[in-house]
Amino acid sequence: MKSSSPEAEIIEHLSPVAARMMLAALPDHIRKAFERRAQEIDYPVEAVLEMAIAGFLDSESLSFEDCQPRY
């Protein structure tokens, strides 16, 4: 989502390209674990990576275990 102001751009989710770049920098076993988890919960891998980062930064952040929000 972009704001109407050209100076400020708001990005609400990690892009697939950015996620793939981050995953490529991780050891294979960690990358595969993210991809496996994404398949298990039927989410894009960028959402799983975003959830892991959010969970690390805030232990009370939303977990998507029990809900299926639109991504």
Side-chain angles (χ1 to χ4, degrees):
M1 172 184 242
K2 293 183 181 181
S3 68
S4 59
S5 170
E7 303 88 39
E9 183 175 316
I10 299 172
I11 300 172
E12 293 193 19
H13 294 286
L14 185 62
S15 76
V17 173
R20 288 289 169 195
M21 290 172 61
M22 292 172 76
L23 289 169
L26 296 172
D28 278 349
H29 69 284
I30 296 173
R31 179 185 47 79
K32 288 176 183 176
F34 274 111
E35 291 169 347
R36 222 178 6 259
R37 183 66 178 146
Q39 282 188 321
E40 288 171 2
I41 64 172
D42 195 27
Y43 270 47
V45 72
E46 59 269 18
V48 176
L49 185 56
E50 192 174 306
M51 286 185 281
I53 293 168
F56 175 77
L57 295 174
D58 179 1
S59 62
E60 295 180 14
S61 68
L62 178 64
S63 166
F64 294 108
E65 290 293 325
D66 299 320
C67 62
Q68 292 287 322
R70 290 186 176 159
Y71 190 85

